[in-house]
Amino acid sequence: MGMSVTISAAVAEDTEQILKLQYLAFQREAELYGNYRIQPLTQTLDSLKAELASDTVLVARLGEEVVGTVRGRIDEDGAGSIAKLCVHPRLQGHGLGARLLHAVEEALGGRESAPTRFRLHTGHKSESNLRLYRKAGYVQVGGRTASDGVRLVVLEKERAAGAADFAVSA
């Protein structure tokens, strides 16, 4: 009998596993762009600890092993910003990335100051990422060049009507 993957909030003890997973999972992206200075590969443990304290950080676990992760936060303009979605290479292509994306949208959408839309970005050559995001309802709204020189595609989607909106009556 196999174990199932569970998704939950990250805890402080997860930081090293998250950083190692991120480094492993983003190797393919770095190779695709010929650029090993991309932010997920240069992020420090202290920077990740700060994100864990301030942002919504989710992990996917297979037993005790962290096999996926995603970050989310509410930006100054009220959009739910989603970043650093990654899945262990041996588990890619099985829907775990889509589950993590949905979970972080639900977590951000369940806040009192819930966003009306979600925003994320990926490299312009990252076809598998673009496919995942488009399938999830994201559309390209712009682009920019990251500080490491990689051209990014910026995508957004409106939060589903009624998502986490509950009327309270007395």
Side-chain angles (χ1 to χ4, degrees), residues 5 9 11 23 36-37 49 58-59 83 86 88 98-99 111 114 123 128 156-157 159 166:
V5 175
V11 295
Y23 189 82
Y36 289 84
R37 296 181 334 268
K49 286 178 181 177
L58 302 180
V59 292
C86 63
H88 193 290
R99 284 181 57 200
R111 293 180 169 197
S128 60
E156 288 187 356
K157 86 171 191 180
R159 187 166 60 102
F166 301 102

Side-chain angles (χ1 to χ4, degrees), residues 115-161:
T116 57
R117 70 187 181 289
F118 298 105
R119 179 182 306 126
L120 49 78
H121 63 264
T122 192
H124 72 287
K125 295 181 186 176
S126 304
E127 286 303 321
S128 60
N129 297 348
L130 289 166
R131 257 192 316 278
L132 167 67
Y133 300 143
R134 288 179 179 133
K135 187 174 180 181
Y138 286 82
V139 295
Q140 183 173 345
V141 295
R144 64 181 178 85
T145 300
S147 60
D148 55 29
V150 174
R151 283 194 2 238
L152 301 175
V153 176
V154 178
L155 302 109
E156 288 187 356
K157 86 171 191 180
E158 297 297 314
R159 187 166 60 102

Side-chain angles (χ1 to χ4, degrees), residues 4-164:
S4 62
V5 175
T6 59
I7 296 174
S8 60
V11 295
E13 293 77 22
D14 294 328
T15 54
E16 286 187 28
Q17 279 196 71
I18 291 169
L19 202 59
K20 287 176 184 176
L21 170 65
Q22 180 177 300
Y23 189 82
L24 176 66
F26 278 93
Q27 289 295 314
R28 197 176 113 209
E29 291 293 298
E31 183 179 326
L32 182 63
Y33 295 96
N35 184 345
Y36 289 84
R37 296 181 334 268
I38 61 175
Q39 202 279 334
L41 297 185
T42 60
Q43 184 173 24
T44 65
L45 190 59
D46 286 341
S47 168
L48 176 57
K49 286 178 181 177
E51 284 181 1
L52 197 68
S54 65
D55 297 352
T56 297
V57 181
L58 302 180
V59 292
R61 295 178 199 282
L62 183 61
E64 296 297 315
E65 181 185 8
V66 173
V67 295
T69 186
V70 65
R71 327 275 211 285
R73 70 174 189 277
I74 307 296
D75 281 345
E76 303 79 34
D77 68 355
S81 178
I82 298 171
K84 295 190 184 97
L85 171 63
C86 63
V87 173
H88 193 290
R90 76 174 190 271
L91 295 175
Q92 291 176 3
H94 299 283
L96 185 52
R99 284 181 57 200
L100 281 162
L101 182 58
H102 179 73
V104 76
E105 289 172 353
E106 289 288 316
L108 293 174
R111 293 180 169 197
E112 191 171 311
S113 59
T116 57
R117 70 187 181 289
F118 298 105
R119 179 182 306 126
L120 49 78
H121 63 264
T122 192
H124 72 287
K125 295 181 186 176
S126 304
E127 286 303 321
S128 60
N129 297 348
L130 289 166
R131 257 192 316 278
L132 167 67
Y133 300 143
R134 288 179 179 133
K135 187 174 180 181
Y138 286 82
V139 295
Q140 183 173 345
V141 295
R144 64 181 178 85
T145 300
S147 60
D148 55 29
V150 174
R151 283 194 2 238
L152 301 175
V153 176
V154 178
L155 302 109
E156 288 187 356
K157 86 171 191 180
E158 297 297 314
R159 187 166 60 102

